[in-house]
Amino acid sequence: MHIPDGYLDIYLVLTMYLLSATVVALSIFRTKTLSQKFGIVAAAIFVAQMLNWPIPGGTSAHFVGGSLAAILLGPYAGCVAMSVVLIVQCLVFNDGGITALGANIWNMAVVNVFVGYFVYKSFEKYGKELAAFLAGWLGITLAAIFAGLEIGLSANFIYGVFITVPIMAVWHAALGVIEGIITAAVLRAVYPSISTEVSKISKKSLLAIILMILVSPIFAYSAELVGYTEPLEKAAENLGLEENPLYSGVLPDYVVPNLDPYLSVLISATLGTFIVFGLGYILNARTNRKNA
Amino acid sequence: MNNVIELVDVSYCYPDGSLGIKSVTLNVAKDEKVAILGSNGSGKSTLILLMAGLLKPTRGEVRIFGLNPEKKYIENIRRKIGVVFQNPDDFLFNSTVMEELTYVPKQLRWSREEIEGRVKEIAEIFGIDKILEKPPFRLSGGEKKKVEIASVLIYRPEVLLLDEPTANVDGKTKRKIIEILKNYQGTIVISTHEIQIAEMIAEKFVLINGKHEIEAVGGKEILQKYDLLEEIGVI
Amino acid sequence: MHELIERTLKEASKYFQNFFIHEYLKKSALHFVDPRVKFLMSMVFVLLVVSTFSISKTSVVVISIFAIAIASKLSLSQLIKRAWLFTVFSFVVVLPAVFYDAMYVATFTLRVFAAIISMQLFILTTPFSEICAVLRYFKIPQNLVNSVWLTYRYILLLFNDLLTILLARESRRVSKGSHMDVWRKGGEAVGNFFVRSFERAERVEMAMKSRGDLDWSRNWNFGSNELLSSLITLTVVLWWWIA
């Protein structure tokens, strides 16, 4: 479910970063005593995600754990812990792109966590394990739907939401059954030994975040509308930046008029490569000398 | 067919790339009592896990009762081999000591009378009859260890593999465990860094050096070679 | 459970290979550049890639990164090795579109590849502690950075913990189980693992309190290496602009 770089266009990248930053900042604020201990908890979630669960048919699935984190730690702490996991995955293992980090945090550390928590609390009275199963299953499915929405809305991705969302939803609703079973099983094992009593969560702010999750696709959609009418290059054109003075000064287009366009590309490519390589070469020579 | 466990040129590397054990060739015969001696981090635990068929060797071959520990035979092998892990906290996962003891018998579908009789018997031997209803994580270190060994011995495995069975327990518990292991009829492989313990239980000694290889194998006489023992770091 | 352990071990070894890449990767010239500058360079490259859909502009970034890697003696094969999986995956995902827009498929795949290697330029040449120091420099909250660092620091230890717990269960499994059994029993094992990890978290927290906070301040310097790297970045931006 980790979205790599290159799937989302720049408008979605920025929107998702903004949305996620808001909720993560609020979560950090709410947990008040955000402490180092989250690091270890996040590492535990990370390791649990490394398990490769066999599923019928010979393939396998991974456990995400957003809902579990929400149930065990409460939604705010769960959101922070999941964000930490995603940051490490992005910065160490290249799981999920840096530009897509905002979107990935939104899907797996916000949607999965808060929806998981909401579902768990709503069904807790019918039994803890059932509630945990539903939270695990719905949390992951909804997270996948959001991932589908984001890449579907992206101008850079050829398939629209009517293809991406059903595919992501169906696939993860099936896989989500395992997520649900494991979430329930973990809770059964954990429950007797630690109190999962989470400090009082204010209903108002929780509802506000759920509401924010629900309307977030509208944000993403409107960001796209802006994007369609005003791509970066067009914006530059409007601002009169297209005819870059440095460009005409440095490159042969100005010096040699009537140059064949293909030849001009070739020349600028050679020149560009040459300069970058040359500067890199000097850098290399310098560091070599220093360490000799 | 006298060997219960055969290792042929076995090496194991952990997923992080660190070496567990290197080029080990070793046979354990039926009813033999073997002690694996080595310093901390020499690969004793890895060797125990490989002998149990729990880890798959990176190189070489492990045969248990003449079989490859692969999917087809694995449950058969498990039934005959009992493994006692170094840390009881890894091992005890049920909610009461009673459930812990009956975990394997229940899987083997013993009758209720049989299970009850055997639990009573084993609880008396270990002196744990007072704590049967307690959750394992509330026990003391020594009690945990006794419950761990009891929950393996209860299903009468033919081979007993023990990873540092007397680490972190007091003298009284230690003596109890040694007494029980001495009375055990069957194959025993025990890993330890304490020579006295090894001497009391085993008759064959496998010395592992700091390079994760077998340094020497021999009978009681090998325990007199102090320079060798010092080199591998157990004295 | 048997299968769960074996598959996990197999995949984990691939994972940890990435984890320890700094230990066996030969040092390149980029290793000696201030991580802040490298971070900004990589970020600029990534942003150049994702803010265009022109194949020539994307190629500019790819060619530049290759040129930088070759010039600074950064292993090109490592760079590609770290990027090919997602690239191929993305190619397969958009492949059906090849019938009416082959150019799109090519551009999309190249963009994914370019974005990944842009980031790898930074990640491959910077130890994780330095990456954390950069995050702190850019005003990411101290406790969040501490958590990120501790996660990194404890992954291997906790992985070994979890593995032992699973093996201990497997050692007493004497009857065959269904997939459902594996999920439930495995889930319980993960539960035990969480309980122990939470307890460990409390202990680590106390140990850290007793020894004082982590220090992410560094003696940053902006010398000629950094100037050269900035010039390279600037060249790529200009070239990207006119391409």
Side-chain angles (χ1 to χ4, degrees), chain B residues 181-216:
Chain B
L181 292 181
K182 271 182 155 172
N183 291 331
Y184 173 77
Q185 314 285 324
T187 317
I188 289 189
V189 180
I190 162 177
S191 90
T192 181
H193 59 263
E194 293 171 274
I195 297 175
Q196 303 89 311
I197 307 284
E199 205 173 4
M200 276 188 264
I201 295 166
E203 59 211 11
K204 177 172 159 185
F205 303 88
V206 179
L207 308 187
I208 304 198
N209 61 26
K211 284 178 284 186
H212 310 271
E213 299 160 327
I214 290 187
E215 181 73 40

Short mmCIF file of all heavy atoms in Angstrom, two decimals, chain B residues 181-216:
data_model
loop_
_atom_site.label_atom_id
_atom_site.label_comp_id
_atom_site.label_asym_id
_atom_site.label_seq_id
_atom_site.Cartn_x
_atom_site.Cartn_y
_atom_site.Cartn_z
N LEU B 181 17.06 -34.16 35.03
CA LEU B 181 17.70 -34.48 33.76
C LEU B 181 18.52 -35.76 33.86
O LEU B 181 18.62 -36.52 32.90
CB LEU B 181 18.59 -33.32 33.30
CG LEU B 181 17.86 -32.04 32.90
CD1 LEU B 181 18.86 -30.98 32.43
CD2 LEU B 181 16.85 -32.31 31.80
N LYS B 182 19.09 -36.00 35.03
CA LYS B 182 19.87 -37.24 35.21
C LYS B 182 18.96 -38.47 35.12
O LYS B 182 19.38 -39.51 34.64
CB LYS B 182 20.55 -37.22 36.58
CG LYS B 182 21.93 -36.56 36.55
CD LYS B 182 22.51 -36.65 37.95
CE LYS B 182 24.02 -36.60 37.91
NZ LYS B 182 24.54 -36.48 39.31
N ASN B 183 17.74 -38.33 35.61
CA ASN B 183 16.80 -39.45 35.60
C ASN B 183 16.13 -39.65 34.25
O ASN B 183 15.43 -40.63 34.05
CB ASN B 183 15.71 -39.23 36.65
CG ASN B 183 16.29 -39.33 38.04
OD1 ASN B 183 17.27 -40.03 38.25
ND2 ASN B 183 15.71 -38.60 38.97
N TYR B 184 16.31 -38.72 33.36
CA TYR B 184 15.60 -38.78 32.07
C TYR B 184 16.16 -39.90 31.20
O TYR B 184 17.37 -40.02 31.00
CB TYR B 184 15.74 -37.43 31.37
CG TYR B 184 15.19 -37.39 29.97
CD1 TYR B 184 13.83 -37.33 29.74
CD2 TYR B 184 16.05 -37.43 28.87
CE1 TYR B 184 13.33 -37.31 28.46
CE2 TYR B 184 15.56 -37.41 27.59
CZ TYR B 184 14.21 -37.34 27.38
OH TYR B 184 13.72 -37.31 26.12
N GLN B 185 15.26 -40.75 30.70
CA GLN B 185 15.68 -41.85 29.83
C GLN B 185 15.52 -41.41 28.38
O GLN B 185 14.42 -41.33 27.90
CB GLN B 185 14.79 -43.08 30.06
CG GLN B 185 14.52 -43.45 31.50
CD GLN B 185 15.73 -44.11 32.13
OE1 GLN B 185 16.45 -44.85 31.46
NE2 GLN B 185 15.96 -43.82 33.40
N GLY B 186 16.61 -41.15 27.72
CA GLY B 186 16.49 -40.75 26.32
C GLY B 186 17.70 -39.92 25.93
O GLY B 186 18.64 -39.77 26.69
N THR B 187 17.63 -39.37 24.73
CA THR B 187 18.75 -38.59 24.25
C THR B 187 18.69 -37.18 24.84
O THR B 187 17.61 -36.59 24.88
CB THR B 187 18.70 -38.50 22.71
OG1 THR B 187 18.36 -39.78 22.21
CG2 THR B 187 20.01 -38.03 22.13
N ILE B 188 19.82 -36.66 25.28
CA ILE B 188 19.85 -35.29 25.78
C ILE B 188 20.96 -34.52 25.08
O ILE B 188 22.08 -35.00 24.94
CB ILE B 188 20.12 -35.24 27.30
CG1 ILE B 188 18.91 -35.73 28.09
CG2 ILE B 188 20.44 -33.81 27.74
CD1 ILE B 188 19.03 -35.50 29.58
N VAL B 189 20.62 -33.34 24.60
CA VAL B 189 21.67 -32.41 24.15
C VAL B 189 21.47 -31.14 24.96
O VAL B 189 20.38 -30.56 24.97
CB VAL B 189 21.57 -32.10 22.65
CG1 VAL B 189 22.68 -31.13 22.24
CG2 VAL B 189 21.67 -33.36 21.83
N ILE B 190 22.50 -30.70 25.65
CA ILE B 190 22.38 -29.52 26.49
C ILE B 190 23.48 -28.53 26.12
O ILE B 190 24.61 -28.92 25.88
CB ILE B 190 22.43 -29.92 27.98
CG1 ILE B 190 22.75 -28.71 28.87
CG2 ILE B 190 23.43 -31.01 28.25
CD1 ILE B 190 22.72 -29.08 30.34
N SER B 191 23.12 -27.27 26.00
CA SER B 191 24.15 -26.26 25.74
C SER B 191 24.39 -25.49 27.02
O SER B 191 23.45 -25.19 27.76
CB SER B 191 23.69 -25.31 24.64
OG SER B 191 23.01 -24.22 25.19
N THR B 192 25.63 -25.21 27.32
CA THR B 192 25.94 -24.50 28.55
C THR B 192 27.35 -23.91 28.49
O THR B 192 28.14 -24.30 27.64
CB THR B 192 25.84 -25.43 29.78
OG1 THR B 192 26.12 -24.69 30.95
CG2 THR B 192 26.80 -26.59 29.68
N HIS B 193 27.62 -22.95 29.36
CA HIS B 193 29.00 -22.49 29.47
C HIS B 193 29.58 -22.85 30.83
O HIS B 193 30.67 -22.45 31.18
CB HIS B 193 29.09 -20.98 29.20
CG HIS B 193 28.28 -20.16 30.13
ND1 HIS B 193 27.02 -19.70 29.80
CD2 HIS B 193 28.52 -19.75 31.38
CE1 HIS B 193 26.53 -19.03 30.82
NE2 HIS B 193 27.41 -19.04 31.79
N GLU B 194 28.80 -23.64 31.59
CA GLU B 194 29.28 -24.07 32.90
C GLU B 194 29.74 -25.52 32.84
O GLU B 194 28.93 -26.42 32.61
CB GLU B 194 28.15 -23.93 33.93
CG GLU B 194 27.76 -22.50 34.19
CD GLU B 194 26.50 -22.42 35.05
OE1 GLU B 194 25.40 -22.46 34.48
OE2 GLU B 194 26.64 -22.33 36.27
N ILE B 195 31.03 -25.75 33.08
CA ILE B 195 31.59 -27.09 32.95
C ILE B 195 30.99 -28.05 33.97
O ILE B 195 30.67 -29.20 33.64
CB ILE B 195 33.12 -27.04 33.11
CG1 ILE B 195 33.69 -26.20 31.97
CG2 ILE B 195 33.73 -28.42 33.06
CD1 ILE B 195 35.15 -25.98 32.09
N GLN B 196 30.77 -27.56 35.19
CA GLN B 196 30.25 -28.46 36.24
C GLN B 196 28.91 -29.06 35.83
O GLN B 196 28.66 -30.25 36.02
CB GLN B 196 30.07 -27.71 37.57
CG GLN B 196 31.31 -27.03 38.08
CD GLN B 196 31.45 -25.61 37.54
OE1 GLN B 196 31.32 -25.39 36.33
NE2 GLN B 196 31.73 -24.65 38.41
N ILE B 197 28.05 -28.21 35.27
CA ILE B 197 26.73 -28.68 34.84
C ILE B 197 26.89 -29.73 33.75
O ILE B 197 26.29 -30.81 33.80
CB ILE B 197 25.89 -27.50 34.28
CG1 ILE B 197 25.83 -26.35 35.29
CG2 ILE B 197 24.51 -27.97 33.87
CD1 ILE B 197 24.92 -26.56 36.44
N ALA B 198 27.71 -29.43 32.77
CA ALA B 198 27.92 -30.35 31.66
C ALA B 198 28.42 -31.69 32.17
O ALA B 198 27.95 -32.75 31.76
CB ALA B 198 28.92 -29.75 30.68
N GLU B 199 29.36 -31.63 33.10
CA GLU B 199 29.98 -32.84 33.62
C GLU B 199 28.96 -33.73 34.33
O GLU B 199 29.02 -34.95 34.23
CB GLU B 199 31.09 -32.44 34.60
CG GLU B 199 32.16 -33.48 34.74
CD GLU B 199 33.31 -32.96 35.58
OE1 GLU B 199 33.22 -31.82 36.10
OE2 GLU B 199 34.29 -33.70 35.73
N MET B 200 28.03 -33.11 35.02
CA MET B 200 27.06 -33.88 35.78
C MET B 200 26.05 -34.59 34.89
O MET B 200 25.53 -35.64 35.26
CB MET B 200 26.32 -32.95 36.75
CG MET B 200 27.09 -32.74 38.04
SD MET B 200 26.09 -31.86 39.21
CE MET B 200 26.63 -30.20 38.95
N ILE B 201 25.77 -34.03 33.73
CA ILE B 201 24.72 -34.60 32.89
C ILE B 201 25.26 -35.41 31.73
O ILE B 201 24.74 -36.46 31.39
CB ILE B 201 23.78 -33.47 32.39
CG1 ILE B 201 23.06 -32.84 33.58
CG2 ILE B 201 22.77 -34.00 31.39
CD1 ILE B 201 22.40 -31.54 33.27
N ALA B 202 26.33 -34.91 31.10
CA ALA B 202 26.71 -35.47 29.80
C ALA B 202 27.87 -36.45 29.89
O ALA B 202 28.59 -36.53 30.90
CB ALA B 202 27.07 -34.34 28.86
N GLU B 203 28.04 -37.21 28.81
CA GLU B 203 29.18 -38.10 28.69
C GLU B 203 30.02 -37.77 27.46
O GLU B 203 31.15 -38.19 27.33
CB GLU B 203 28.70 -39.56 28.62
CG GLU B 203 27.78 -39.83 27.44
CD GLU B 203 26.76 -40.91 27.71
OE1 GLU B 203 26.63 -41.30 28.89
OE2 GLU B 203 26.09 -41.35 26.76
N LYS B 204 29.40 -37.00 26.54
CA LYS B 204 30.14 -36.58 25.35
C LYS B 204 30.12 -35.05 25.32
O LYS B 204 29.10 -34.43 25.63
CB LYS B 204 29.44 -37.14 24.10
CG LYS B 204 30.05 -36.73 22.77
CD LYS B 204 29.38 -37.51 21.66
CE LYS B 204 29.53 -36.85 20.31
NZ LYS B 204 28.78 -37.58 19.27
N PHE B 205 31.25 -34.45 24.95
CA PHE B 205 31.35 -32.99 25.02
C PHE B 205 31.78 -32.40 23.68
O PHE B 205 32.73 -32.89 23.07
CB PHE B 205 32.34 -32.59 26.13
CG PHE B 205 31.94 -33.15 27.46
CD1 PHE B 205 32.38 -34.42 27.85
CD2 PHE B 205 31.10 -32.45 28.29
CE1 PHE B 205 31.97 -34.95 29.06
CE2 PHE B 205 30.70 -32.97 29.50
CZ PHE B 205 31.14 -34.24 29.89
N VAL B 206 31.06 -31.41 23.26
CA VAL B 206 31.37 -30.73 22.01
C VAL B 206 31.82 -29.32 22.36
O VAL B 206 31.08 -28.56 22.98
CB VAL B 206 30.13 -30.66 21.09
CG1 VAL B 206 30.45 -29.94 19.79
CG2 VAL B 206 29.58 -32.05 20.82
N LEU B 207 33.05 -28.97 21.99
CA LEU B 207 33.55 -27.63 22.32
C LEU B 207 33.47 -26.72 21.11
O LEU B 207 33.93 -27.08 20.03
CB LEU B 207 35.01 -27.70 22.79
CG LEU B 207 35.35 -28.69 23.91
CD1 LEU B 207 36.79 -28.50 24.37
CD2 LEU B 207 34.41 -28.53 25.08
N ILE B 208 32.85 -25.57 21.29
CA ILE B 208 32.72 -24.61 20.18
C ILE B 208 33.60 -23.41 20.46
O ILE B 208 33.59 -22.86 21.58
CB ILE B 208 31.26 -24.17 20.03
CG1 ILE B 208 30.40 -25.41 19.83
CG2 ILE B 208 31.11 -23.21 18.86
CD1 ILE B 208 29.07 -25.15 19.26
N ASN B 209 34.36 -22.98 19.45
CA ASN B 209 35.28 -21.87 19.67
C ASN B 209 34.65 -20.55 19.24
O ASN B 209 33.51 -20.49 18.78
CB ASN B 209 36.61 -22.13 18.95
CG ASN B 209 36.42 -22.26 17.44
OD1 ASN B 209 35.47 -21.72 16.88
ND2 ASN B 209 37.32 -22.98 16.80
N GLY B 210 35.42 -19.49 19.39
CA GLY B 210 34.91 -18.15 19.11
C GLY B 210 34.66 -17.89 17.63
O GLY B 210 34.04 -16.89 17.27
N LYS B 211 35.17 -18.81 16.77
CA LYS B 211 34.94 -18.62 15.33
C LYS B 211 33.71 -19.39 14.87
O LYS B 211 33.52 -19.65 13.69
CB LYS B 211 36.19 -19.10 14.56
CG LYS B 211 37.34 -18.11 14.64
CD LYS B 211 38.58 -18.63 13.92
CE LYS B 211 39.24 -19.68 14.74
NZ LYS B 211 40.51 -20.20 14.27
N HIS B 212 32.88 -19.80 15.83
CA HIS B 212 31.62 -20.51 15.56
C HIS B 212 31.85 -21.88 14.93
O HIS B 212 30.99 -22.37 14.21
CB HIS B 212 30.70 -19.68 14.66
CG HIS B 212 30.51 -18.28 15.15
ND1 HIS B 212 29.52 -17.92 16.02
CD2 HIS B 212 31.21 -17.14 14.88
CE1 HIS B 212 29.60 -16.63 16.27
NE2 HIS B 212 30.62 -16.13 15.61
N GLU B 213 33.02 -22.48 15.18
CA GLU B 213 33.28 -23.82 14.64
C GLU B 213 33.46 -24.80 15.80
O GLU B 213 33.70 -24.40 16.93
CB GLU B 213 34.57 -23.83 13.83
CG GLU B 213 34.57 -22.91 12.64
CD GLU B 213 35.98 -22.59 12.19
OE1 GLU B 213 36.90 -22.51 13.04
OE2 GLU B 213 36.18 -22.41 10.98
N ILE B 214 33.39 -26.10 15.47
CA ILE B 214 33.68 -27.09 16.50
C ILE B 214 35.19 -27.16 16.69
O ILE B 214 35.94 -27.33 15.73
CB ILE B 214 33.12 -28.48 16.11
CG1 ILE B 214 31.59 -28.45 16.18
CG2 ILE B 214 33.67 -29.55 17.04
CD1 ILE B 214 30.95 -29.80 15.98
N GLU B 215 35.63 -27.02 17.95
CA GLU B 215 37.06 -27.06 18.25
C GLU B 215 37.47 -28.51 18.51
O GLU B 215 38.47 -28.98 17.99
CB GLU B 215 37.34 -26.19 19.47
CG GLU B 215 38.79 -26.11 19.89
CD GLU B 215 39.64 -25.28 18.96
OE1 GLU B 215 39.15 -24.23 18.51
OE2 GLU B 215 40.78 -25.68 18.68
N ALA B 216 36.65 -29.22 19.30
CA ALA B 216 36.97 -30.60 19.62
C ALA B 216 35.72 -31.32 20.11
O ALA B 216 34.77 -30.70 20.58
CB ALA B 216 38.04 -30.65 20.71
#
